[in-house]
Amino acid sequence: MDTDKIKIHCTDNDKFVEAVVVDKTDGWLLTNIQPGDLRLQLRKTKPGIYVGNMLGREFVYKDE
């Protein structure tokens, strides 16, 4: 898979973080939060919407 950079929205502080997609399946999205190497796994909750949690915060990615 090519390295895709995406923006993930943190709903707790209304900020966006940049991430690199490591792996993607029909139901999951595995990313590395940038900068650094923090892994974040997001689960597909609705078509085109992935949700994950890390350090007590919720992150949402909308696949457009």
Side-chain angles (χ1 to χ4, degrees), residues 17-41:
V17 295
E18 193 169 276
V20 174
V21 177
V22 176
D23 194 18
K24 184 176 182 179
T25 68
D26 188 43
W28 295 93
L29 188 63
L30 182 61
T31 65
N32 276 347
I33 301 288
Q34 302 292 309
D37 198 22
L38 293 173
R39 288 274 170 124
L40 174 62
Q41 186 171 355

Side-chain angles (χ1 to χ4, degrees), residues 6-64:
I6 60 172
K7 296 222 183 250
I8 300 173
H9 182 240
C10 178
T11 59
D12 295 293
N13 63 10
D14 198 31
K15 292 187 179 181
F16 284 86
V17 295
E18 193 169 276
V20 174
V21 177
V22 176
D23 194 18
K24 184 176 182 179
T25 68
D26 188 43
W28 295 93
L29 188 63
L30 182 61
T31 65
N32 276 347
I33 301 288
Q34 302 292 309
D37 198 22
L38 293 173
R39 288 274 170 124
L40 174 62
Q41 186 171 355
L42 299 111
R43 181 175 58 95
K44 186 186 271 186
T45 58
K46 295 180 183 177
I49 298 178
Y50 295 83
V51 178
N53 293 290
M54 177 187 289
L55 302 172
R57 296 187 183 242
E58 179 183 71
F59 294 88
V60 177
Y61 171 67
K62 294 181 182 175
D63 191 10
E64 299 177 36

